[in-house]
Amino acid sequence: PGYAHLPREGAFTPEIYFDRGYDCRRFREDVVTPLETDGERRCCLKHWDSLNDRAHPPQWVDAPGNVVLVVDGGFLFHPTLEGAWRFAVWLHIDWDTMMRRAIERDKPWVGDADAIEERYRLHWRPTHEHYEERTRARERCDVVIDNADPYQPFVIDECDPIGRCRPR
């Protein structure tokens, strides 16, 4: 999924990003549906190069019948993906940890920690807050893991099938 449907930097709100930031319909059609139990097993794993903001040539692969689809990403409770997941895990980190990791990860290609921090403060945080408020994704997961220390994650909530989370 990519960003082909978005206006250029600075021209989109969290609501626009939620609606058009990822091509969830294509992801469902080309990856999720083909890999369901009764799916055709032929899926396309690449469509968009978001770093360079351009399309990838489609790369279709035939998955074996026993493949298990594990998806890591944001906005996976977007309405377009409703009912796609049999088991969902929410990896929780606080905003300060997210910022610290973003600066460490993005500084080599962005070059400026202040620019990264501003982008997260003005775009990513409001966008994720909008997503979480609109979808209640955390409450819909089967388990919530504190991932502040990726070398020592721990379960903080387990949820029942209708989304009632209980602290551990």
Side-chain angles (χ1 to χ4, degrees):
Y3 309 94
H5 307 299
L6 284 174
R8 287 291 156 225
E9 184 70 32
F12 53 90
T13 65
E15 295 80 11
I16 289 172
Y17 196 89
F18 177 81
D19 291 338
R20 298 186 286 169
Y22 295 98
D23 193 344
C24 294
R25 180 197 54 77
R26 175 173 251 173
F27 177 66
R28 184 165 197 146
E29 289 175 0
D30 290 353
V31 179
V32 176
T33 299
L35 297 179
E36 289 174 343
T37 303
D38 58 349
E40 65 185 43
R41 318 311 290 166
R42 185 160 181 74
C43 59
C44 186
L45 301 180
K46 285 188 177 182
H47 279 290
W48 195 256
D49 174 356
S50 58
L51 183 61
N52 296 303
D53 197 24
R54 64 177 181 223
H56 272 293
Q59 297 178 1
W60 292 90
V61 297
D62 293 312
N66 64 348
V67 74
V68 174
L69 177 63
V70 177
V71 179
D72 173 23
F75 290 10
L76 294 176
F77 280 95
H78 190 278
T80 307
L81 297 169
E82 188 68 38
W85 316 121
R86 289 188 186 175
F87 191 86
V89 176
W90 183 269
L91 297 177
H92 173 77
I93 60 171
D94 60 76
W95 290 108
D96 291 337
T97 301
M98 181 191 302
M99 182 63 65
R100 194 172 58 254
R101 288 181 185 172
I103 290 169
E104 182 180 317
R105 179 191 63 235
D106 298 350
K107 196 171 180 188
W109 64 275
V110 173
D112 182 14
D114 290 337
I116 296 164
E117 188 169 347
E118 181 177 352
R119 176 138 172 83
Y120 270 75
R121 185 174 47 79
L122 297 177
H123 172 68
W124 287 116
R125 185 171 181 164
T127 298
H128 280 276
E129 286 172 343
H130 173 76
Y131 165 72
E132 291 174 34
E133 182 179 306
R134 178 146 176 212
T135 65
R136 313 303 294 172
R138 178 180 168 148
E139 291 92 18
R140 296 169 63 195
C141 288
D142 298 285
V143 66
V144 179
I145 295 175
D146 185 302
N147 200 39
D149 179 351
Y151 298 102
Q152 295 184 331
F154 59 92
V155 174
I156 54 176
D157 290 328
E158 294 179 273
C159 304
D160 65 23
I162 61 170
R164 293 181 303 222
C165 295
R166 2 176 234 294
R168 208 161 188 222

